[in-house]
């Protein structure tokens, strides 16, 4: 039986060589290699500053704290995302308010954002205040899902119209663009991930991207317990006294060992994205020809999809299935049968408003965000990674065809 994982990082001898150099240097915590990695990622995305962290979750939390998110505030979050987006909001003491998405792109439906603001909030002075709770609306955390930018231009217009802040969750979207502008280049802080399922990895890790020098400085202090000087700078100055701490910060520091892996990975980033795009094109052709029961990913004109994941949807009409709930049962059976044949798959991601903590605490029901509910039940992530062969992809699609025929 041929085993095909859902994804696989792409390493060569450069990662181990870089790690060896760091180990031999004796400096393995956050230090000069992290600083080098921050500059390399920022340069790739056309931005001024990168602030490396332990994960995209801590990157989000760091940016949110630096931008003043706190207790008594509401934050608009797309309902179809990994739970970390909402969890980071909750960790600040603020409340995530979920809004629906577009099934075609898996990204936020900007018309629903305007509708939510106009329906649920009153303008008091220059602040939007919730009619239900009295919380002030802080802003929006849009997602660039699976490597495709959302309609960030319209999100920015909404934010400007209502004096809101924006932090972009670009966990999946390193390298993604609209026209020639990379994620992070739309005037807001953006947060990316280096988890092993992402295009490049440091094992675990994340980064906040920004062009704002003051914000970058504050986040670098916050990630190091609130220290006003980094350990690396103190070491270079041969200082023996501990630095000043003017506020309570966090320990969100990436290590030089992780950054050494990242420096080798960033050299491969453009090649990895290009190869994933090529393989996504192969999937599109094979699926359209052989499996009309699946809907391939949609990419708006002018958008540059990096295909961190290749996520398609069940076509209920082609399957003659009457409801999303029934479609979800069918999807789960299909994924189980594929796993039994050695092909790993996943659902796209969660409908967060349906997860226990958020459902129980805030009383959300599935119909509150019907498109997110549908994507939760009907999405399928197919295997995609650089080391795949054309034969592997043909095997995946052929097996899906044969499995559907027997169900």
């Amino acid at each position: 039986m041929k085993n095909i994982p859902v994804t696989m990082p792409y390493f060569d001898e450069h990662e181990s060589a870089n790690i060896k150099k760091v180990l031999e240097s004796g400096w393995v915590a956050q230090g000069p290699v992290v600083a080098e990695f921050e500059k390399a990622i920022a340069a790739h995305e056309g931005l001024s500053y990168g602030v490396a962290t332990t994960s995209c979750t801590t990157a989000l939390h760091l940016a949110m704290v630096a931008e003043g998110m706190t207790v008594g505030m509401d934050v608009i979050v797309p309902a179809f995302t990994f739970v970390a987006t909402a969890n980071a909001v909750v960790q600040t003491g603020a409340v995530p308010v979920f809004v629906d998405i577009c099934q075609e792109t898996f990204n936020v439906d900007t018309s629903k954002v305007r509708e939510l603001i106009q329906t649920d909030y009153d303008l008091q002075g220059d602040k939007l205040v919730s009619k239900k709770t009295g919380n002030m609306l802080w802003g929006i955390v849009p997602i660039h899902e699976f490597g495709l930018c959302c309609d960030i231009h319209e999100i920015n217009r909404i934010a400007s119209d209502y004096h809101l802040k924006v932090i972009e969750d670009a966990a999946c979207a390193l390298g993604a663009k609209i026209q020639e502008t990379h994620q992070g280049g739309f005037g807001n802080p953006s947060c990316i991930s280096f988890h092993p399922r992402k295009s490049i990895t440091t094992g675990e890790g994340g980064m906040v991207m920004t062009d704002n020098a003051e914000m970058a400085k504050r986040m670098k202090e916050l990630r190091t317990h609130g220290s006003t000087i980094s350990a690396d700078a103190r070491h270079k100055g041969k200082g023996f006294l501990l630095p000043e701490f003017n506020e309570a910060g966090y320990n969100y520091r990436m290590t030089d060992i992780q950054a050494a892996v990242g420096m080798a990975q960033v050299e491969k980033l453009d090649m990895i994205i290009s190869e994933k795009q090529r393989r996504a094109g192969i999937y599109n052709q094979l699926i359209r020809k052989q499996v009309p029961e699946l809907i391939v990913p949609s990419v708006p004109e002018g958008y540059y999809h990096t295909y961190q994941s290749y996520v398609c949807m069940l076509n209920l009409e082609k399957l003659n299935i009457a409801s999303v709930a029934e479609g979800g049962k069918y999807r789960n059976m299909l994924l189980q049968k594929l796993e039994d044949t050695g092909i790993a798959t996943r659902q796209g991601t969660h409908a967060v408003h349906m997860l226990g903590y958020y459902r129980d605490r805030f009383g959300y029901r599935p119909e509150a965000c019907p498109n997110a509910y549908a994507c939760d039940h009907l999405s399928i992530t197919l295997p995609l990674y650089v080391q795949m062969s054309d034969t592997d992809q043909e095997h995946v699609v052929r097996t899906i065809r044969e499995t559907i025929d027997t169900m």
Side-chain angles (χ1 to χ4, degrees):
M1 183 173 69
K2 189 176 182 68
N3 289 305
I4 299 180
V6 73
T7 192
M8 184 185 299
Y10 182 69
F11 299 132
D12 57 27
E13 69 277 4
H14 291 97
E15 283 80 6
S16 56
N18 282 3
I19 291 172
K20 186 172 185 289
K21 289 179 184 176
V22 169
L23 296 178
E24 290 174 345
S25 78
W27 188 280
V28 296
Q30 178 180 284
V33 186
V34 169
E36 186 182 2
F37 184 49
E38 290 170 334
K39 290 177 182 177
I41 293 294
H44 186 277
E45 300 299 88
L47 293 161
S48 301
Y49 305 100
V51 181
T53 60
T54 55
S55 68
C56 188
T57 309
T58 54
L60 283 165
H61 184 243
L62 196 66
M64 290 169 180
V65 171
E67 286 283 66
M69 191 186 298
T70 189
V71 177
M73 295 178 175
D74 285 351
V75 183
I76 296 174
V77 176
F80 189 63
T81 181
F82 187 60
V83 70
T85 313
N87 283 353
V89 172
V90 168
Q91 290 303 312
T92 70
V95 174
V97 178
F98 297 111
V99 69
D100 213 357
I101 62 160
C102 300
Q103 288 192 37
E104 294 76 18
T105 63
F106 303 112
N107 280 324
V108 63
D109 184 338
T110 55
S111 69
K112 295 295 183 183
V113 176
R114 283 195 183 272
E115 181 182 320
L116 174 68
I117 292 170
Q118 292 166 1
T119 301
D120 291 359
Y121 292 86
D122 282 327
L123 188 61
Q124 297 182 9
D126 62 348
K127 306 295 185 185
L128 287 166
V129 178
S130 170
K131 296 176 184 178
K132 299 176 183 177
T133 66
N135 279 0
M136 185 191 80
L137 183 59
W138 172 93
I140 311 165
V141 181
I143 321 297
H144 302 311
E145 197 61 85
F146 306 134
L148 178 69
C149 286
C150 71
D151 185 356
I152 190 62
H153 294 303
E154 178 61 14
I155 290 293
N156 281 346
R157 282 190 285 270
I158 294 169
S160 177
D161 289 346
Y162 293 104
H163 308 289
L164 302 174
K165 294 185 179 181
V166 176
I167 293 173
E168 300 169 32
D169 183 341
C172 304
L174 178 62
K177 296 185 285 188
I178 302 176
Q179 302 298 342
E180 293 305 313
T181 303
H182 281 260
Q183 66 74 34
F186 300 103
N188 314 303
S190 74
C191 302
I192 56 179
S193 172
F194 302 112
H195 182 273
R197 281 194 62 182
K198 304 305 186 284
S199 293
I200 63 171
T201 185
T202 56
E204 283 281 3
M207 193 176 293
V208 187
M209 315 295 298
T210 183
D211 276 329
N212 186 315
E214 282 302 310
M215 184 180 181
K217 178 177 181 293
R218 178 144 194 265
M219 288 190 295
K220 287 181 178 182
E221 292 173 356
L222 282 171
R223 75 173 172 188
T224 311
H225 304 285
S227 170
T228 55
I229 184 171
S230 70
D232 183 37
R234 192 174 78 250
H235 176 73
K236 288 177 180 177
K238 303 188 184 302
F240 47 83
L241 295 178
L242 291 175
E244 180 65 274
F245 294 85
N246 294 321
E247 61 181 316
Y250 313 95
N251 183 359
Y252 287 170
R253 294 171 293 187
M254 179 181 281
T255 69
D256 268 19
I257 297 172
Q258 293 170 290
V261 175
M263 287 303 297
Q265 287 276 284
V266 74
E267 294 174 358
K268 306 177 179 73
L269 176 56
D270 290 339
M271 179 277 292
I272 289 170
I273 291 173
S274 178
E275 181 63 9
K276 283 190 165 188
Q277 289 173 329
R278 187 179 77 83
R279 296 218 163 273
I282 292 172
Y283 267 143
N284 289 345
Q285 292 179 356
L286 291 171
I287 290 170
R288 285 174 177 143
K289 184 177 180 179
Q290 299 181 40
V291 193
E293 295 88 348
L294 295 183
I295 302 169
V296 301
S298 174
V299 184
E301 185 176 354
Y303 284 62
Y304 183 88
H305 200 320
T306 63
Y307 293 99
Q308 176 263 325
S309 294
Y310 184 90
V311 182
C312 45
M313 289 276 284
L314 283 185
N315 188 327
L316 297 186
E317 184 178 350
K318 295 288 186 182
L319 289 164
N320 198 29
I321 295 175
S323 71
V324 170
E326 287 302 310
K329 293 176 184 177
Y330 183 96
R331 190 275 311 270
N332 293 347
M333 287 192 293
L334 173 61
L335 299 194
Q336 182 61 62
K337 288 179 180 292
L338 291 173
E339 186 170 295
D340 293 342
T341 68
I343 296 173
T345 56
R346 298 287 188 275
Q347 72 182 87
T349 192
H350 314 288
V352 184
H353 73 294
M354 294 167 50
L355 298 178
Y357 175 82
Y358 295 96
R359 181 186 66 237
D360 296 344
R361 179 177 172 185
F362 301 110
Y364 280 102
R365 299 178 63 82
E367 57 268 24
C369 299
N371 287 332
Y373 172 77
C375 292
D376 179 288
H377 281 59
L378 306 179
S379 59
I380 300 174
T381 304
L382 298 185
L384 182 67
Y385 46 94
V386 169
Q387 301 93 318
M388 286 191 85
S389 65
D390 292 0
T391 302
D392 290 335
Q393 290 188 272
E394 290 164 2
H395 172 67
V396 169
V397 176
R398 183 173 59 251
T399 304
I400 293 171
R401 176 72 271 161
E402 292 170 352
T403 303
I404 289 175
D405 287 342
T406 62
M407 287 177 67

